[in-house]
Amino acid sequence: MDNRARILSVLQQYWGYKMFRPMQEDIILSALAGKDTLALLPTGGGKSITFQVPALAKDGLCIVVSPLIALMKDQVENLKKRNINAYAIHSGLNQFEIEIILNNCIYGDVKFLYVSPERLETEMFLLRLPKMKVSLIAVDEAHCISQWGFDFRPPYRNISKIRLLIPDVPVIALTATATPAVVDDIMDQLAFRGKNVFKQSFYRSNLVYNVIQEEDKTGRLLQLLSEHKGTAIVYVRNRRKTKEYADFLVRNKISAHFYNAGLLPAERDKRQSDWIGNKVRVMVATNAFGMGIDKPDVRLVVHMDIPDCIEAYFQEAGRGGRDGNMSWAWLLWNKNDIIEAEKNLDASFPEPEFISRVYNALGNYFQIVTGTGKLSTWNFEMTDFCNRYSLPPVETFNSVRILEKEGYVSLSEAIHTPSKVKMQADKNDVYRFQVENRDLSSFVELLLRMYSGLFTGFVRIDEFAIARKMNTDKLIVIKGLKQLDKLGLITYEPASDSPRITFLSDRIDHRDVIFSQEHYYSRKKEAEKRLESMKTYLSGSTRCRSQLLLDYFGETQSRRCAMCDICEKRSETGLSEYKFNEVLDRVKPALREAPMPYDKVMAMFGSMDTEKATSAIRWMMDNGKIAMDDDGNLYWK
């Protein structure tokens, strides 16, 4: 069977599809041929299939590097539903569980191992990696590897180091958002053996981008939801606004949920499920919502606040219309939003002294002694931490993120980790313990009856189920488990719904915390440049919105969408795109060089219909591109 027949067979067997989407097959055949491959596919373009299919078509294990625990868990669950053996290693697991998974990858029939970039650096992983039969390394959200990217994560830089241990294994890198500079940087940082990029156009013929300067945003939101029927996402900047806008919509008889990282994982899952299942029409969310969520029939995406950068906006707006039907993306803004965005940028880069103070407070909060703590993981309650040390929440959160970029800590999103128990004593010692501790004997006996495998590894338990069996309260059971843990009979890990923070190196004196040019000062300049690009996009009034976005990502030959707010205004001139651009291309450079009288401007169009030139110039004046000075001369604004 040739490679093409083999991958089509895999696609049919596991996904039930008879053919690939555009470019998927070329990407898969490239990876299957052992070539390092970079795939740029738009949001919803089916990136996961491009590494999962070649991995299933080859013998051995595929290591998938992914930045988000929720994404990893979601993909592992989807693979297991297809009877594909997959695991994920993340901060919600203890060392014993990680060891079991890694050993399974050596001796078992595991096809996919999802791992965060931080885990690639651990001794436990590096010692076992050469013993694994690795067939492919997949790097998801590959823009995170580039310091020019909008979501740079330094641990991604270490992926190339593991290639030295398994030099013959090809890499496939995937992203939905990358500028030309980021594309080149990804290949350099992953030590590609040759440039090899597959790029699908980011042009979306069924998605209309609109920008409107608006003071009455709530009124406009109701109008948009009335005009565009179907499922919607409304993006806002902070958690407080998610609830405020959702409550506002409900008061106006529009079904809505709010979603942010502050909700417990179980509640987030329920709200997400209600929205996907069309029980709720609108999801009002921060940017914590959307990654990895596959809902094809989103008809409307509204941004009530200015995103930090075009990459983030493009990714979020791109969640509309994945089914190929017409969808609309609206960005509402006013002058106060510009001021707010600039303040947020400043808050994203607290002063180095403040960040050092946060690092010191973290060490004290978790009672980590200087010189110890490497790879220790802790549940992290940001509100409690800020209250205890009188720290402002926004600056503190951004300080932790910068410490993460400098490689001191790693902060994961909130995930649910169930309660776990492992017996620390053998069966003889347990018997002796029961004889010596008659008051706890029946409790220990019940644990052994209810859960098998306690002597060989960590077992998930349910304190409520144990309480029902004992005809008592759950809190009594938790107290008993903690007592057994203190006495050394068991190790008890209570359930948690908190984010988790991991110290990536031993604690040092906070005065020795270093802020590199690359990770702090250069990142701040890049963030400022990206915000300027966002502001330019907002104020654009002559070029199609889709063209402006695609230009940013290096697609300079795209065509007008003919439907966005700019295209609709330009169509009022009655000119074709070609004729309008002919006027624009003559007028713009001339008026940029020096102001000139109206008659002299019109003299430039001797061979063109004067009426058409007049119409185009009048439109540019009405839309603030051309203005008139005190002497009556026209100039380019």
Side-chain angles (χ1 to χ4, degrees), residues 582-610 612-618 620-621 626-628 632-636:
E582 194 177 341
V583 177
L584 179 67
D585 291 344
R586 291 191 200 182
V587 169
K588 185 176 178 179
L591 293 184
R592 268 189 162 170
E593 191 172 314
M596 61 174 71
Y598 181 80
D599 291 346
K600 192 173 179 182
V601 172
M602 293 309 299
M604 297 164 61
F605 301 99
S607 61
M608 182 188 272
D609 185 338
T610 307
K612 289 182 178 177
T614 302
S615 180
I617 290 167
R618 172 56 56 195
M620 291 181 217
M621 292 180 74
I626 295 175
M628 187 176 285
N633 293 322
L634 301 182
Y635 66 95
W636 189 263

Side-chain angles (χ1 to χ4, degrees), residues 265-276:
E267 185 60 33
R268 289 207 307 269
D269 289 346
K270 183 186 181 305
R271 292 179 185 209
Q272 182 178 307
S273 176
D274 285 349
W275 179 76
I276 288 173

Side-chain angles (χ1 to χ4, degrees), residues 403-420:
L403 288 168
E404 188 173 37
K405 286 181 169 55
E406 292 289 0
Y408 291 106
V409 300
S410 170
L411 179 65
S412 77
E413 70 269 32
I415 57 166
H416 176 71
T417 52
S419 299
K420 302 167 193 168

Side-chain angles (χ1 to χ4, degrees), residues 70-83:
L71 268 182
M72 288 196 277
K73 291 177 78 176
D74 187 50
Q75 290 208 9
V76 166
E77 284 170 18
N78 285 331
L79 288 167
K80 285 184 172 177
K81 284 176 189 172
R82 295 183 165 88
N83 294 315

Side-chain angles (χ1 to χ4, degrees), residues 41 84 86 109 145 152 169 206 257 268 288 290 315 337 354 378 460 518 575 581 587 634:
L41 294 172
I84 299 166
D109 59 346
I145 202 170
F152 174 49
V169 177
N206 69 311
H257 271 331
R268 289 207 307 269
Q315 211 170 58
D337 292 332
F354 180 81
W378 312 81
R460 293 182 179 186
E518 180 188 27
L575 298 181
N581 285 341
V587 169
L634 301 182

Side-chain angles (χ1 to χ4, degrees), residues 2-8 20 23-35 37 50 53-54 172 196 198:
D2 66 14
N3 280 348
R4 188 170 186 277
R6 197 184 328 160
I7 63 174
L8 282 169
F20 290 101
M23 207 172 280
Q24 280 182 334
E25 186 174 324
D26 295 332
I27 295 165
I28 290 165
L29 289 172
S30 172
L32 208 53
K35 296 177 183 175
T37 305
T50 61
V53 168
I172 179 167
N196 186 28
F198 291 86

Side-chain angles (χ1 to χ4, degrees), residues 42-54:
T43 300
K47 292 192 294 296
S48 57
I49 275 181
T50 61
F51 68 82
Q52 288 171 350
V53 168

Side-chain angles (χ1 to χ4, degrees), residues 406-465:
E406 292 289 0
Y408 291 106
V409 300
S410 170
L411 179 65
S412 77
E413 70 269 32
I415 57 166
H416 176 71
T417 52
S419 299
K420 302 167 193 168
V421 164
K422 180 182 183 294
M423 281 289 174
Q424 293 298 83
D426 61 25
K427 290 179 181 178
N428 291 331
D429 288 336
V430 170
Y431 176 74
R432 273 196 297 274
F433 179 89
Q434 287 179 277
V435 171
E436 293 167 6
N437 299 271
R438 292 288 181 189
D439 56 327
L440 294 169
S441 179
S442 59
F443 184 42
V444 174
E445 194 65 41
L446 179 63
L447 278 179
L448 293 170
R449 278 204 315 273
M450 287 184 70
Y451 301 101
S452 59
L454 289 169
F455 290 100
T456 55
F458 276 89
V459 175
R460 293 182 179 186
I461 64 159
D462 182 345
E463 293 93 338
F464 186 68

